[in-house]
């Protein structure tokens, strides 16, 4: 066996004297090709292995055993030797940390990718878009998420939008550890689609347990809510369950805890809804629907109104929306909601009269 450096030395020697035996030269070139192929293959192993770890951890945290199983399959799929997979994982994660990737780990805890250091090259427009996204996230109470966006683009205060102002007033920082714990638990229940309970504190400070079925998180007017169908809740307007009276809104920052999932699957795939029919009049007679749940039934040829039907899933939010339109909307159906709106407006009128004429 001739070692590569010996062959290279002999090659240089012969070439210095302008003598290159054909067989030796071919042997050397052939060895070089194999040597470089082996080197590139080894580099591919290391880089591919590291990228696969990052890909897996970017999806979700993984335990060492889980990571080992998936990486073993990855290596076998690509025809690479497995060897001591645990040692390879530890060694590769150490190198990734040295490269700036923040990967958390602890005894009996999964590996978790906390921060990535992949370089991102952005155009001026992309930087502005990321800065705007970070600004809006910060303004609606997601400060930690905003900082992650800023870190991705390596943005500074100079990138902050200067000509956009918001008027959100979130009741809490949704990035706080206690609230994030609640949000994570809720998201897990949504994936499991099984009934669960929450312990909730209302505005008076009273605590109550609610049994929740089909549910979702919803951001409404700058406040984050759990919007859920509560199957055991009472109802008066509708004849049977499920119905929209049983749709409840819970402010996430007032949820004390989220219970474990039960063995009972969600009964409903979607939240109960009801239809409303109304006319936009006066200043809103040329109203163009912007909400996906609205559909135009007719437009008056003289431009006096536009008649719309909409599918709603919250009685309270629907009522609030019509009240904010004032005299520019005429609710037609359902009759029970028309009665509620009339009662609310009459009550408001009485309060104005009392306030105006009282000493």
């Amino acid at each position: 066996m001739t070692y590569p450096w010996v062959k290279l030395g002999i090659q240089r020697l012969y070439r210095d004297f302008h003598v290159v035996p054909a067989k030796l030269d071919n042997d050397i070139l052939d060895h070089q090709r194999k040597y470089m192929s082996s080197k590139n293959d080894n580099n591919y192993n290391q880089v591919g292995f590291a990228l696969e770890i990052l890909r897996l951890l970017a999806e979700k945290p993984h335990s060492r055993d889980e990571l080992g199983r998936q990486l073993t399959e990855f290596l076998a799929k690509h025809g690479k030797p497995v060897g001591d997979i645990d040692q390879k994982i530890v060694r590769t994660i150490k190198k990734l940390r040295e490269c700036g990737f923040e990967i958390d780990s602890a005894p009996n805890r999964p590996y978790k990718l906390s921060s990535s250091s992949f370089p991102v090259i952005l155009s001026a427009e992309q930087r502005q878009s990321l800065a705007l996204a970070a600004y809006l996230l910060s303004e609606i109470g997601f400060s930690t998420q905003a900082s992650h966006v800023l870190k991705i683009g390596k943005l500074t205060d100079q990138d902050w939008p200067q000509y956009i102002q918001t008027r959100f007033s979130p009741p809490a920082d949704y990035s706080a550890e206690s609230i994030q714990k609640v949000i994570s638990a809720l998201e897990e229940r949504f994936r499991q689609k099984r009934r669960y309970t929450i312990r909730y504190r209302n505005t008076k400070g009273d605590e109550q347990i609610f049994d929740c079925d089909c549910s979702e998180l919803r951001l409404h007017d700058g406040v984050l809510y759990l919007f859920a169908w509560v199957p055991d809740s009472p109802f008066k307007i509708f004849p049977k369950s499920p119905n929209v009276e049983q749709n409840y809104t819970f402010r996430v920052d007032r949820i004390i805890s989220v219970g474990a999932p039960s063995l009972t699957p969600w009964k409903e795939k979607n939240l109960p809804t009801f239809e409303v029919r109304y006319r936009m009049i006066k200043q809103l007679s040329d109203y163009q629907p912007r909400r996906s749940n609205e559909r135009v039934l007719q437009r008056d040829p003289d431009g006096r109104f536009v008649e719309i039907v909409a599918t709603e899933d919250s009685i309270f939010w629907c009522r609030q929306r019509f009240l904010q339109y004032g005299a520019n909307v005429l609710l037609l159906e359902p009759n029970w909601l028309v009665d509620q709106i009339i009662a609310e407006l009459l009550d408001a009128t009485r309060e104005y009269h009392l306030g105006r004429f009282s000493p």
Side-chain angles (χ1 to χ4, degrees):
M1 175 181 178
T2 306
Y3 292 99
W5 58 84
V6 175
K7 285 194 173 184
L8 290 174
I10 294 173
Q11 184 188 42
R12 292 194 189 97
L13 179 64
Y14 275 101
R15 284 183 175 166
D16 285 345
F17 287 90
H18 308 288
V19 179
V20 184
K23 186 176 185 311
L24 179 60
D25 192 57
N26 289 337
D27 286 346
I28 292 169
L29 294 176
D30 183 60
H31 177 82
Q32 284 179 316
R33 280 193 293 268
K34 291 180 180 178
Y35 176 73
M36 292 305 295
S37 174
S38 173
K39 184 177 180 182
N40 290 339
D41 192 57
N42 185 54
N43 287 340
Y44 170 81
N45 282 349
Q46 294 178 5
V47 174
F49 191 75
L51 288 174
E52 183 65 10
I53 288 178
L54 290 175
R55 187 187 71 80
L56 291 171
L57 295 184
E59 292 177 352
K60 65 174 185 177
H62 284 70
S63 67
R64 180 173 296 189
D65 290 341
E66 187 181 13
L67 199 59
R69 283 194 299 271
Q70 297 206 40
L71 290 170
T72 297
E73 293 174 4
F74 169 78
L75 292 174
K77 180 181 178 181
H78 290 83
K80 310 301 180 185
V82 176
D84 189 340
I85 191 68
D86 288 340
Q87 193 176 50
K88 283 184 177 180
I89 291 173
V90 171
R91 188 166 55 243
T92 304
I93 286 180
K94 181 182 177 182
K95 289 181 180 179
L96 288 170
R97 284 171 174 157
E98 291 171 354
C99 292
F101 293 94
E102 296 179 16
I103 301 175
D104 299 334
S105 64
N108 301 318
R109 298 290 297 275
Y111 285 110
K112 179 182 178 183
L113 179 63
S114 298
S115 178
S116 170
S117 64
F118 266 121
V120 179
I121 301 174
L122 302 171
S123 67
E125 290 80 7
Q126 289 172 324
R127 291 180 67 85
Q128 291 174 4
S129 298
L130 276 181
L132 177 59
Y135 172 69
L136 293 176
L137 281 171
S138 177
E139 289 297 297
I140 62 177
F142 292 91
S143 59
T144 299
Q145 289 80 358
S147 67
H148 288 324
V149 174
L150 291 172
K151 192 172 183 181
I152 289 172
K154 294 181 172 58
L155 303 175
T156 65
D157 293 343
Q158 294 180 348
D159 298 296
W160 214 250
Q162 299 179 14
Y163 306 108
I164 297 178
Q165 298 295 323
T166 65
R167 296 190 181 276
F168 295 120
S169 300
D173 181 358
Y174 297 120
S175 299
E177 185 177 353
S178 58
I179 299 180
Q180 279 295 306
K181 184 178 179 181
V182 167
I183 292 174
S184 297
L186 290 172
E187 290 174 339
E188 185 64 23
R189 301 299 172 271
F190 302 159
R191 284 190 289 269
Q192 294 161 338
K193 296 187 183 302
R194 294 186 178 276
R195 287 192 182 178
Y196 62 95
T197 60
I198 62 167
R199 181 179 290 276
Y200 188 73
R201 182 184 294 115
N202 62 22
T203 53
K204 298 179 180 179
D206 300 327
E207 295 183 11
Q208 186 176 348
I209 294 177
F210 291 89
D211 187 17
C212 300
D213 196 274
C214 177
S215 46
E216 65 187 31
L217 288 173
R218 192 174 294 188
L219 191 65
H220 183 82
D221 287 345
V223 180
L224 187 63
Y225 293 91
L226 167 65
F227 194 50
W229 176 53
V230 181
D232 298 330
S233 60
F235 51 92
K236 297 179 180 178
I237 301 170
F238 293 86
K240 62 180 181 178
S241 177
N243 61 70
V244 291
E245 285 185 90
Q246 298 175 302
N247 289 347
Y248 279 53
T249 54
F250 304 98
R251 266 181 40 180
V252 168
D253 57 297
R254 289 183 181 157
I255 297 176
I256 301 170
S257 61
V258 179
S262 69
L263 298 177
T264 306
W266 284 0
K267 182 179 178 182
E268 299 297 316
K269 293 182 179 179
N270 300 297
L271 291 157
T273 61
F274 71 105
E275 280 195 348
V276 292
R277 187 167 63 91
Y278 51 95
R279 288 181 176 180
M280 304 299 259
I281 57 178
K282 298 184 177 181
Q283 295 181 34
L284 296 178
S285 59
D286 59 348
Y287 176 80
Q288 298 292 333
R290 299 184 301 274
R291 302 161 73 239
S292 60
N293 62 328
E294 291 180 313
R295 179 169 54 89
V296 174
L297 292 179
Q298 63 169 316
R299 289 187 180 276
D300 179 62
D302 298 324
R304 293 176 301 171
F305 66 85
V306 54
E307 189 169 319
I308 295 171
V309 63
T311 303
E312 302 285 350
D313 54 17
S314 170
I315 296 174
F316 176 75
W317 286 341
C318 178
R319 189 170 64 237
Q320 294 301 100
R321 188 166 71 87
F322 286 128
L323 289 171
Q324 76 179 7
Y325 290 145
N328 296 300
V329 65
L330 177 62
L331 182 61
L332 304 175
E333 293 178 341
N335 291 331
W336 57 264
L337 185 57
V338 174
D339 291 340
Q340 287 187 12
I341 295 292
I342 291 173
E344 189 109 17
L345 291 173
L346 288 174
D347 188 42
T349 302
R350 282 193 296 270
E351 291 297 325
Y352 274 108
H353 278 291
L354 290 172
R356 176 177 293 181
F357 299 113
S358 62

